[in-house]
Amino acid sequence: LSLIMRRALAVKVTAATAAASLLVHQQYGDYLASVEASAHAETHLPLSADAQKTEVVRVPSFLSAAEVEDLHELHKELQPLLGSAGRTSGNQAAAYRQGTWETSYLSTDGLFARARPALRQRLLDLAREVDAEHWNVMSRATRPVLPRCVEYHTVEPGGSLPYPTHYDAGSLVTIDIMLSDSSDFRGGEFRTLEPDGSMRSYAFEKGDALCFVSHKFHCVSPLTAGRRNVLVVELWEGVERQCAHRCERHTGECEHSARASLFRRVLNDLGSDL
């Protein structure tokens, strides 16, 4: 290699290493803050063993085709203003390793709540009704149960949530709503790890809602073709967050903005290229 090329490579490696180090430092800081801020709320969450015994509840056609299309249009309209995370086809290194899974936070700056207040209320009502009939988890809370985040997920080939014991730590109830027709993609099955060790799959058609206790283990099989869009809403015993990510702080202020989200994505991309 020429001297210029060696120097350019050294600069790239140094920048990527520094970016990865800074990202780890930020994430560890977020973790420490979340432990402190969550001390009260975490005491009311269902134990993992109890959560695994609960059933996922499917609500067919919770949204009409027109309402699903409206959410696609809302995402398109708001996307430049939203915080985001994940692996996109634009970052070949990250996508190559783990596939493409992009998350946009519709709740950034309270945009979803202001743009679709009636739908926000329907989602809260759905969670309360399903919980009262099946789990009685929300009744344990000693503070109001409100949206933690409202997320628009885009999954493309290779994208998956591959960890069988993944759960939505710190939340009470999660609602997933399918925004794609089942003919638009292959793979991408929503699955849960049951107490007997079996993996259970669920019918999940366009407009359907899957409601479950957030601490129940769940995963998504790899998408092999097409595109899969899902709306994900987590409810927790904390303030209704408007920050541009999935917040870990149940109380107090969070200043994570869409700009900070973009900065973190740049660090992630640099770290992936390393």
Side-chain angles (χ1 to χ4, degrees):
L1 294 176
S2 68
L3 179 60
I4 294 177
M5 290 180 66
R6 288 199 300 271
R7 287 178 175 174
L9 180 60
V11 169
K12 182 175 181 179
V13 170
T14 300
T17 303
S21 175
L22 181 57
L23 179 61
V24 170
H25 179 75
Q26 284 189 334
Q27 290 175 334
Y28 183 63
D30 289 346
Y31 166 75
L32 293 179
S34 72
V35 170
E36 180 180 356
S38 303
H40 171 78
E42 296 289 340
T43 62
H44 303 289
L45 293 171
L47 297 175
S48 178
D50 294 335
Q52 306 327 308
K53 298 174 185 177
T54 61
E55 292 286 324
V56 174
V57 178
R58 178 188 177 217
V59 182
S61 301
F62 176 72
L63 294 183
S64 67
E67 289 172 323
V68 168
E69 185 58 32
D70 176 69
L71 281 173
H72 289 308
E73 292 300 318
L74 180 65
H75 172 254
K76 187 183 301 183
E77 174 189 343
L78 298 180
Q79 191 169 16
L81 307 174
L82 303 177
S84 63
R87 308 175 298 274
T88 71
S89 55
N91 180 350
Q92 294 298 323
Y96 174 77
R97 292 170 187 168
Q98 296 179 294
T100 299
W101 190 309
E102 169 85 3
T103 301
S104 296
Y105 298 98
L106 293 175
S107 43
T108 300
D109 294 332
L111 291 169
F112 177 80
R114 291 199 301 274
R116 299 295 182 270
L119 178 55
R120 172 192 173 277
Q121 189 58 52
R122 281 181 63 197
L123 290 163
L124 285 170
D125 292 343
L126 174 66
R128 294 187 182 109
E129 291 169 10
V130 172
D131 177 65
E133 184 175 350
H134 294 274
W135 317 307
N136 290 313
V137 170
M138 295 170 68
S139 63
R140 304 180 191 184
T142 59
R143 296 173 180 170
V145 177
L146 295 167
R148 176 185 194 171
C149 52
V150 181
E151 305 170 352
Y152 180 98
H153 290 223
T154 301
V155 187
E156 294 180 342
S160 68
L161 182 56
Y163 313 108
T165 56
H166 165 85
Y167 62 96
D168 299 331
S171 294
L172 289 170
V173 173
T174 300
I175 303 172
D176 286 8
I177 301 177
M178 177 57 70
L179 304 180
S180 297
D181 192 284
S182 57
S183 63
D184 291 339
F185 62 90
R186 292 197 300 272
E189 283 189 317
F190 179 90
R191 298 172 176 172
T192 57
L193 178 60
E194 296 303 304
D196 64 1
S198 64
M199 293 296 294
R200 182 175 177 182
S201 299
Y202 298 82
F204 196 16
E205 300 295 330
K206 186 176 181 178
D208 289 357
L210 294 181
C211 307
F212 54 95
V213 173
S214 300
H215 278 203
K216 185 175 179 68
F217 297 150
H218 58 281
C219 58
V220 178
S221 67
L223 202 77
T224 58
R227 175 180 290 184
R228 179 185 188 269
N229 292 116
V230 176
L231 185 77
V232 176
V233 181
E234 293 184 34
L235 305 179
W236 70 348
E237 185 186 2
V239 299
E240 183 166 2
R241 282 301 179 195
Q242 299 185 10
C243 39
H245 65 155
R246 181 182 180 274
C247 195
E248 299 289 350
R249 301 170 185 261
H250 286 70
T251 60
E253 297 296 324
C254 179
E255 298 180 356
H256 191 96
S257 63
R259 179 175 293 182
S261 174
L262 176 62
F263 177 64
R264 176 163 291 190
R265 296 210 60 164
V266 171
L267 294 182
N268 270 316
D269 286 352
L270 286 171
S272 296
D273 289 336
L274 180 60

Coordinates of all heavy atoms in Angstrom, one line a residue, residues 5-79:
M5 N -2.4 5.7 1.2 CA -3.5 4.8 1.5 C -3.3 4.2 2.9 O -4.3 4.0 3.6 CB -3.4 3.6 0.5 CG -3.8 4.0 -0.9 SD -3.7 2.6 -2.0 CE -5.0 1.6 -1.4
R6 N -2.1 4.0 3.4 CA -1.9 3.5 4.8 C -2.4 4.5 5.8 O -3.0 4.2 6.8 CB -0.4 3.1 5.0 CG 0.0 1.9 4.3 CD 1.3 1.3 4.9 NE 2.4 2.3 4.8 CZ 3.2 2.4 3.8 NH1 3.1 1.6 2.8 NH2 4.2 3.3 3.9
R7 N -2.1 5.8 5.5 CA -2.5 6.8 6.4 C -4.1 6.9 6.5 O -4.7 7.1 7.5 CB -1.9 8.2 6.0 CG -0.4 8.3 6.4 CD 0.2 9.6 5.9 NE 1.5 9.7 6.3 CZ 2.3 10.8 5.9 NH1 1.8 11.7 5.1 NH2 3.6 10.8 6.4
A8 N -4.7 6.9 5.3 CA -6.1 6.9 5.2 C -6.8 5.8 6.0 O -7.8 5.9 6.7 CB -6.6 6.9 3.7
L9 N -6.2 4.6 5.8 CA -6.7 3.4 6.5 C -6.6 3.6 8.0 O -7.5 3.3 8.8 CB -6.0 2.2 6.1 CG -6.5 0.8 6.7 CD1 -7.9 0.6 6.4 CD2 -5.6 -0.3 6.2
A10 N -5.4 4.1 8.4 CA -5.2 4.3 9.9 C -6.2 5.3 10.5 O -6.7 5.1 11.6 CB -3.7 4.8 10.1
V11 N -6.5 6.4 9.7 CA -7.4 7.4 10.2 C -8.8 6.7 10.3 O -9.5 7.0 11.3 CB -7.5 8.6 9.2 CG1 -8.7 9.5 9.5 CG2 -6.2 9.4 9.3
K12 N -9.2 5.9 9.3 CA -10.5 5.3 9.4 C -10.6 4.4 10.6 O -11.6 4.4 11.3 CB -10.8 4.5 8.1 CG -12.2 3.9 8.0 CD -12.4 3.2 6.7 CE -13.8 2.6 6.7 NZ -14.1 2.0 5.4
V13 N -9.6 3.6 10.8 CA -9.6 2.6 11.9 C -9.7 3.4 13.2 O -10.4 3.0 14.2 CB -8.4 1.7 11.9 CG1 -8.3 0.9 13.2 CG2 -8.5 0.7 10.7
T14 N -8.9 4.4 13.4 CA -8.8 5.2 14.6 C -10.2 5.9 14.8 O -10.7 5.9 16.0 CB -7.8 6.3 14.5 OG1 -6.5 5.7 14.3 CG2 -7.7 7.1 15.8
A15 N -10.8 6.4 13.8 CA -12.1 7.1 13.9 C -13.2 6.1 14.4 O -14.0 6.3 15.2 CB -12.5 7.8 12.6
A16 N -13.2 4.9 13.7 CA -14.2 3.9 14.0 C -14.0 3.4 15.5 O -14.9 3.1 16.2 CB -14.0 2.7 13.1
T17 N -12.7 3.2 15.9 CA -12.5 2.7 17.3 C -12.9 3.8 18.3 O -13.6 3.4 19.3 CB -10.9 2.5 17.5 OG1 -10.5 1.5 16.5 CG2 -10.7 2.0 18.9
A18 N -12.6 5.0 18.0 CA -13.1 6.1 18.9 C -14.6 6.2 19.0 O -15.2 6.4 20.0 CB -12.5 7.4 18.4
A19 N -15.3 6.0 17.8 CA -16.7 6.0 17.7 C -17.3 4.9 18.5 O -18.3 5.1 19.3 CB -17.2 5.9 16.3
A20 N -16.8 3.7 18.4 CA -17.3 2.5 19.1 C -17.1 2.7 20.6 O -18.0 2.4 21.4 CB -16.5 1.3 18.7
S21 N -15.9 3.3 21.0 CA -15.7 3.6 22.5 C -16.7 4.6 23.0 O -17.2 4.4 24.1 CB -14.2 4.1 22.6 OG -14.0 4.4 24.0
L22 N -16.9 5.6 22.3 CA -17.9 6.7 22.7 C -19.3 6.1 22.8 O -20.0 6.4 23.8 CB -17.8 7.8 21.7 CG -18.8 9.0 22.1 CD1 -18.4 9.6 23.4 CD2 -18.6 10.1 21.0
L23 N -19.6 5.3 21.9 CA -21.0 4.7 21.9 C -21.1 3.8 23.1 O -22.2 3.9 23.8 CB -21.2 3.8 20.6 CG -22.6 3.1 20.6 CD1 -23.7 4.1 20.6 CD2 -22.6 2.3 19.3
V24 N -20.1 2.9 23.4 CA -20.2 2.1 24.6 C -20.3 2.9 25.9 O -21.1 2.6 26.8 CB -19.0 1.2 24.7 CG1 -18.9 0.5 26.0 CG2 -19.0 0.2 23.6
H25 N -19.5 4.0 25.9 CA -19.6 4.9 27.1 C -21.0 5.5 27.3 O -21.5 5.6 28.4 CB -18.5 6.0 26.9 CG -18.5 7.0 28.0 ND1 -18.0 6.7 29.3 CD2 -19.0 8.3 28.1 CE1 -18.1 7.8 30.1 NE2 -18.7 8.7 29.4
Q26 N -21.6 6.0 26.2 CA -22.9 6.5 26.2 C -23.9 5.5 26.7 O -24.8 5.8 27.5 CB -23.3 7.1 24.9 CG -22.7 8.4 24.5 CD -23.3 9.0 23.2 OE1 -23.8 8.3 22.4 NE2 -23.2 10.3 23.1
Q27 N -23.9 4.3 26.1 CA -24.8 3.3 26.5 C -24.7 2.9 28.0 O -25.7 2.6 28.6 CB -24.6 2.0 25.6 CG -25.0 2.3 24.1 CD -24.7 1.2 23.2 OE1 -23.8 0.4 23.5 NE2 -25.5 1.0 22.1
Y28 N -23.5 2.8 28.5 CA -23.3 2.5 29.9 C -23.8 3.6 30.8 O -24.5 3.3 31.8 CB -21.8 2.3 30.2 CG -21.5 1.8 31.6 CD1 -22.0 0.6 32.1 CD2 -20.8 2.7 32.5 CE1 -21.8 0.2 33.4 CE2 -20.6 2.3 33.8 CZ -21.1 1.0 34.2 OH -20.8 0.7 35.5
G29 N -23.7 4.8 30.3 CA -24.3 5.9 31.1 C -25.8 5.8 31.1 O -26.4 6.1 32.2
D30 N -26.4 5.5 30.0 CA -27.8 5.3 29.9 C -28.3 4.2 30.8 O -29.3 4.3 31.5 CB -28.3 5.0 28.5 CG -28.1 6.2 27.6 OD1 -28.0 7.3 28.1 OD2 -28.2 6.0 26.3
Y31 N -27.5 3.1 30.9 CA -27.8 2.0 31.7 C -27.8 2.4 33.2 O -28.8 2.1 33.9 CB -26.9 0.8 31.5 CG -26.9 -0.2 32.5 CD1 -28.0 -1.1 32.6 CD2 -26.0 -0.3 33.5 CE1 -28.1 -2.1 33.5 CE2 -26.0 -1.3 34.5 CZ -27.1 -2.2 34.5 OH -27.2 -3.2 35.5
L32 N -26.8 3.1 33.6 CA -26.8 3.5 35.0 C -27.9 4.4 35.4 O -28.5 4.3 36.5 CB -25.4 4.2 35.3 CG -24.2 3.4 35.2 CD1 -22.9 4.2 35.5 CD2 -24.2 2.2 36.2
A33 N -28.3 5.3 34.4 CA -29.4 6.3 34.7 C -30.7 5.5 34.8 O -31.6 5.8 35.6 CB -29.4 7.3 33.6
S34 N -30.8 4.5 33.9 CA -32.1 3.7 33.9 C -32.3 2.9 35.2 O -33.4 2.8 35.7 CB -32.1 2.8 32.7 OG -31.2 1.7 32.9
V35 N -31.2 2.4 35.7 CA -31.3 1.6 37.0 C -31.7 2.5 38.1 O -32.6 2.2 38.9 CB -29.9 1.0 37.4 CG1 -29.9 0.5 38.8 CG2 -29.5 -0.1 36.4
E36 N -31.2 3.7 38.2 CA -31.6 4.7 39.2 C -33.0 5.2 39.0 O -33.8 5.2 40.0 CB -30.6 5.9 39.2 CG -31.0 6.9 40.3 CD -30.0 8.1 40.2 OE1 -29.1 8.1 39.4 OE2 -30.3 9.1 41.0
A37 N -33.4 5.5 37.8 CA -34.7 6.1 37.5 C -35.8 5.0 37.6 O -37.0 5.4 37.8 CB -34.8 6.7 36.2
S38 N -35.5 3.7 37.5 CA -36.5 2.7 37.4 C -36.7 2.0 38.7 O -37.5 1.0 38.8 CB -36.1 1.7 36.3 OG -35.9 2.3 35.1
A39 N -36.1 2.4 39.8 CA -36.1 1.6 41.0 C -37.5 1.4 41.5 O -37.8 0.3 42.0 CB -35.2 2.4 42.1
H40 N -38.4 2.4 41.5 CA -39.7 2.2 42.0 C -40.6 1.4 41.0 O -41.2 0.4 41.4 CB -40.4 3.6 42.2 CG -41.8 3.5 42.5 ND1 -42.3 3.2 43.7 CD2 -42.9 3.7 41.7 CE1 -43.6 3.2 43.7 NE2 -44.0 3.5 42.5
A41 N -40.6 1.8 39.8 CA -41.5 1.1 38.8 C -41.1 -0.4 38.7 O -42.0 -1.2 38.5 CB -41.4 1.8 37.5
E42 N -39.9 -0.7 38.7 CA -39.5 -2.1 38.5 C -40.1 -3.1 39.5 O -40.3 -4.2 39.3 CB -38.0 -2.2 38.4 CG -37.3 -1.5 37.3 CD -37.5 -2.1 36.0 OE1 -37.9 -3.3 35.9 OE2 -37.3 -1.4 34.9
T43 N -40.4 -2.6 40.7 CA -40.9 -3.4 41.8 C -42.3 -3.9 41.5 O -42.8 -4.9 42.1 CB -40.9 -2.7 43.1 OG1 -41.7 -1.5 43.0 CG2 -39.5 -2.2 43.5
H44 N -43.0 -3.3 40.5 CA -44.4 -3.6 40.2 C -44.5 -4.4 39.0 O -45.6 -4.8 38.6 CB -45.2 -2.4 40.1 CG -45.2 -1.5 41.4 ND1 -45.8 -1.9 42.5 CD2 -44.6 -0.3 41.6 CE1 -45.6 -1.0 43.5 NE2 -44.8 0.0 42.9
L45 N -43.4 -4.7 38.3 CA -43.4 -5.5 37.1 C -43.6 -7.0 37.4 O -43.1 -7.5 38.4 CB -42.2 -5.3 36.3 CG -42.0 -3.9 35.7 CD1 -40.6 -3.7 35.1 CD2 -43.0 -3.6 34.7
P46 N -44.2 -7.7 36.4 CA -44.4 -9.2 36.7 C -43.1 -9.9 36.7 O -42.2 -9.5 35.9 CB -45.3 -9.6 35.5 CG -45.0 -8.6 34.4 CD -44.8 -7.3 35.2
L47 N -42.9 -10.9 37.5 CA -41.7 -11.7 37.5 C -41.6 -12.4 36.2 O -42.6 -12.8 35.6 CB -41.7 -12.7 38.7 CG -41.7 -12.1 40.1 CD1 -41.9 -13.2 41.1 CD2 -40.4 -11.3 40.3
S48 N -40.4 -12.7 35.7 CA -40.2 -13.3 34.5 C -41.0 -14.6 34.4 O -41.6 -15.0 33.4 CB -38.7 -13.5 34.2 OG -38.5 -14.2 33.0
A49 N -40.9 -15.4 35.4 CA -41.6 -16.8 35.4 C -43.1 -16.6 35.3 O -43.7 -17.4 34.6 CB -41.2 -17.5 36.7
D50 N -43.6 -15.6 35.9 CA -45.1 -15.4 35.8 C -45.4 -14.9 34.4 O -46.5 -15.3 33.8 CB -45.5 -14.3 36.8 CG -45.4 -14.8 38.2 OD1 -45.4 -16.0 38.4 OD2 -45.2 -14.0 39.1
A51 N -44.6 -14.0 33.8 CA -44.9 -13.5 32.5 C -44.9 -14.6 31.4 O -45.7 -14.5 30.5 CB -43.9 -12.4 32.1
Q52 N -44.1 -15.6 31.6 CA -44.0 -16.6 30.6 C -45.3 -17.5 30.5 O -45.6 -18.1 29.5 CB -42.8 -17.5 30.8 CG -41.5 -16.8 30.9 CD -41.3 -15.6 30.0 OE1 -41.6 -15.6 28.8 NE2 -41.0 -14.5 30.6
K53 N -46.0 -17.5 31.6 CA -47.3 -18.3 31.7 C -48.5 -17.5 31.1 O -49.5 -18.1 30.9 CB -47.6 -18.6 33.1 CG -46.5 -19.4 33.8 CD -46.8 -19.6 35.3 CE -45.7 -20.4 36.0 NZ -46.0 -20.5 37.5
T54 N -48.3 -16.3 30.7 CA -49.4 -15.5 30.2 C -49.6 -15.8 28.7 O -48.7 -16.2 28.0 CB -49.2 -14.0 30.4 OG1 -48.0 -13.6 29.7 CG2 -49.1 -13.7 31.9
E55 N -50.8 -15.5 28.2 CA -51.1 -15.7 26.8 C -51.0 -14.4 26.0 O -51.3 -13.3 26.5 CB -52.6 -16.2 26.7 CG -52.8 -17.6 27.3 CD -52.3 -18.7 26.4 OE1 -52.3 -18.5 25.1 OE2 -51.8 -19.7 26.9
V56 N -50.5 -14.6 24.8 CA -50.6 -13.5 23.8 C -52.0 -13.4 23.3 O -52.6 -14.4 23.0 CB -49.6 -13.7 22.6 CG1 -49.8 -12.6 21.6 CG2 -48.2 -13.7 23.1
V57 N -52.6 -12.2 23.3 CA -54.0 -12.1 22.8 C -54.0 -11.4 21.5 O -53.5 -10.3 21.3 CB -54.8 -11.2 23.9 CG1 -56.2 -11.0 23.4 CG2 -54.8 -11.9 25.2
R58 N -54.6 -12.1 20.5 CA -54.8 -11.5 19.2 C -56.1 -10.8 19.0 O -57.2 -11.4 19.4 CB -54.6 -12.6 18.1 CG -54.8 -12.1 16.7 CD -54.9 -13.3 15.7 NE -55.1 -12.8 14.3 CZ -55.9 -13.5 13.5 NH1 -56.4 -14.6 13.8 NH2 -56.0 -13.0 12.3
V59 N -56.1 -9.6 18.5 CA -57.3 -8.9 18.3 C -57.4 -8.7 16.7 O -56.7 -7.8 16.2 CB -57.4 -7.5 19.0 CG1 -58.7 -6.8 18.7 CG2 -57.1 -7.7 20.5
P60 N -58.2 -9.5 16.0 CA -58.2 -9.4 14.6 C -58.8 -8.1 14.1 O -59.7 -7.5 14.7 CB -59.1 -10.6 14.2 CG -59.2 -11.5 15.4 CD -59.0 -10.6 16.5
S61 N -58.2 -7.6 13.0 CA -58.7 -6.3 12.4 C -59.0 -5.2 13.3 O -60.0 -4.5 13.2 CB -60.0 -6.7 11.6 OG -59.8 -7.7 10.7
F62 N -58.0 -5.0 14.2 CA -58.1 -3.8 15.1 C -58.1 -2.5 14.3 O -58.8 -1.6 14.7 CB -56.9 -3.9 16.1 CG -56.9 -2.7 17.1 CD1 -57.8 -2.5 18.1 CD2 -55.9 -1.7 16.9 CE1 -57.8 -1.4 18.9 CE2 -55.9 -0.6 17.7 CZ -56.8 -0.4 18.7
L63 N -57.3 -2.5 13.3 CA -57.3 -1.4 12.4 C -57.8 -1.8 11.0 O -57.6 -2.9 10.5 CB -55.8 -0.8 12.2 CG -55.2 -0.2 13.4 CD1 -53.8 0.4 13.0 CD2 -56.0 0.9 14.0
S64 N -58.5 -0.9 10.4 CA -59.0 -1.1 9.0 C -57.9 -0.9 8.1 O -56.8 -0.3 8.4 CB -60.2 -0.2 8.7 OG -59.7 1.2 8.7
A65 N -58.1 -1.3 6.8 CA -57.1 -1.1 5.8 C -56.8 0.4 5.6 O -55.7 0.8 5.4 CB -57.6 -1.7 4.4
A66 N -57.9 1.2 5.7 CA -57.7 2.7 5.5 C -56.8 3.2 6.7 O -56.0 4.1 6.5 CB -59.0 3.4 5.5
E67 N -57.1 2.7 7.9 CA -56.3 3.2 9.1 C -54.8 2.8 9.0 O -53.9 3.5 9.4 CB -56.9 2.7 10.4 CG -58.3 3.3 10.7 CD -59.0 2.7 11.8 OE1 -58.9 1.4 11.9 OE2 -59.7 3.4 12.6
V68 N -54.6 1.6 8.4 CA -53.2 1.1 8.2 C -52.5 2.0 7.2 O -51.4 2.4 7.5 CB -53.2 -0.4 7.8 CG1 -51.8 -0.8 7.3 CG2 -53.6 -1.3 8.9
E69 N -53.2 2.3 6.1 CA -52.6 3.2 5.1 C -52.3 4.6 5.7 O -51.3 5.2 5.4 CB -53.5 3.3 3.9 CG -52.9 4.1 2.8 CD -51.6 3.5 2.2 OE1 -51.4 2.3 2.3 OE2 -50.8 4.3 1.8
D70 N -53.2 5.0 6.6 CA -53.0 6.3 7.2 C -51.7 6.3 8.0 O -51.0 7.3 8.1 CB -54.2 6.7 8.1 CG -54.0 8.0 8.8 OD1 -54.0 9.0 8.2 OD2 -53.8 7.9 10.1
L71 N -51.4 5.2 8.7 CA -50.2 5.1 9.5 C -48.9 5.2 8.6 O -47.9 5.8 9.0 CB -50.2 3.9 10.4 CG -51.0 4.0 11.6 CD1 -51.1 2.7 12.4 CD2 -50.5 5.1 12.6
H72 N -49.0 4.5 7.5 CA -47.9 4.5 6.5 C -47.6 6.0 6.1 O -46.5 6.4 6.0 CB -48.2 3.7 5.3 CG -48.1 2.2 5.6 ND1 -47.1 1.6 6.2 CD2 -49.0 1.2 5.3 CE1 -47.3 0.3 6.3 NE2 -48.5 0.0 5.7
E73 N -48.7 6.7 5.8 CA -48.6 8.1 5.3 C -48.1 9.0 6.4 O -47.3 9.9 6.2 CB -50.0 8.6 4.8 CG -50.4 7.9 3.5 CD -49.4 8.1 2.4 OE1 -48.9 9.3 2.2 OE2 -49.2 7.2 1.6
L74 N -48.5 8.7 7.6 CA -48.1 9.5 8.8 C -46.6 9.3 9.0 O -45.8 10.3 9.2 CB -48.8 9.1 10.0 CG -48.4 9.9 11.3 CD1 -48.8 11.3 11.2 CD2 -49.1 9.2 12.5
H75 N -46.1 8.1 8.9 CA -44.7 7.8 9.0 C -43.9 8.6 7.9 O -42.9 9.2 8.2 CB -44.4 6.3 9.0 CG -43.0 6.0 8.9 ND1 -42.4 5.5 7.8 CD2 -42.0 6.1 9.9 CE1 -41.1 5.3 8.0 NE2 -40.8 5.6 9.3
K76 N -44.4 8.5 6.7 CA -43.7 9.2 5.6 C -43.6 10.7 5.9 O -42.6 11.3 5.6 CB -44.4 8.9 4.3 CG -43.7 9.4 3.1 CD -44.6 9.1 1.8 CE -44.9 7.6 1.6 NZ -45.6 7.4 0.4
E77 N -44.7 11.2 6.4 CA -44.8 12.7 6.6 C -43.8 13.1 7.7 O -43.1 14.1 7.7 CB -46.2 13.1 7.0 CG -46.4 14.5 7.4 CD -47.8 14.8 7.9 OE1 -48.7 14.0 7.7 OE2 -48.0 15.8 8.6
L78 N -43.8 12.3 8.8 CA -43.0 12.7 10.0 C -41.6 12.2 10.0 O -40.8 12.7 10.8 CB -43.7 12.1 11.3 CG -45.1 12.6 11.6 CD1 -45.6 11.9 12.8 CD2 -45.2 14.1 11.7
Q79 N -41.2 11.3 9.1 CA -39.9 10.7 9.2 C -38.7 11.6 9.3 O -37.8 11.4 10.1 CB -39.7 9.8 7.9 CG -38.5 8.9 8.1 CD -38.5 7.8 7.0 OE1 -39.2 7.9 6.0 NE2 -37.7 6.8 7.2

